[in-house]
Amino acid sequence: MRPGSLSVRNRVRELRIGRGMTQEEIAERLGVSRQTIISIELGRYNPSIVLAYKLARAFDQSIEDVFFYEPETDTEKGHE
């Protein structure tokens, strides 16, 4: 990414655990695979707006409370 670029972060894992849900439970509720939930939680996959909305609704949150932009650090960009 270019210097000063932003990346999408999320609170899916935090919210899921806070509600005592497993990855399998939230995946089943949303009609996606457990691997999709894992990838979202690890930041390897940014969900579609529809899936982001479903996740937010599942946690009674706004999309902005679940997904947000953050500047990347030099370490995350592969610099030391």
Side-chain angles (χ1 to χ4, degrees), residues 9-79:
R9 306 284 186 204
N10 72 74
R11 297 177 53 226
V12 173
R13 184 173 192 273
E14 170 192 340
L15 293 167
R16 176 182 57 77
I17 290 171
R19 283 160 177 73
M21 298 177 76
T22 66
Q23 291 170 333
E24 187 66 38
E25 288 169 336
I26 193 70
E28 186 175 311
R29 181 172 177 180
L30 299 175
V32 299
S33 70
R34 180 173 170 258
Q35 186 59 45
T36 296
I37 300 301
I38 291 168
S39 294
I40 292 169
E41 288 184 358
L42 293 174
R44 294 183 184 155
Y45 172 71
N46 290 324
S48 69
I49 190 70
V50 172
L51 182 53
Y53 179 76
K54 287 179 180 180
L55 276 161
R57 290 284 305 248
F59 298 128
D60 296 317
Q61 301 284 315
S62 69
I63 289 176
E64 294 85 2
D65 288 336
V66 179
F67 297 91
F68 51 94
Y69 284 112
E70 234 179 41
E72 284 192 333
T73 65
D74 285 340
T75 303
E76 291 171 326
K77 293 181 208 172
H79 300 96

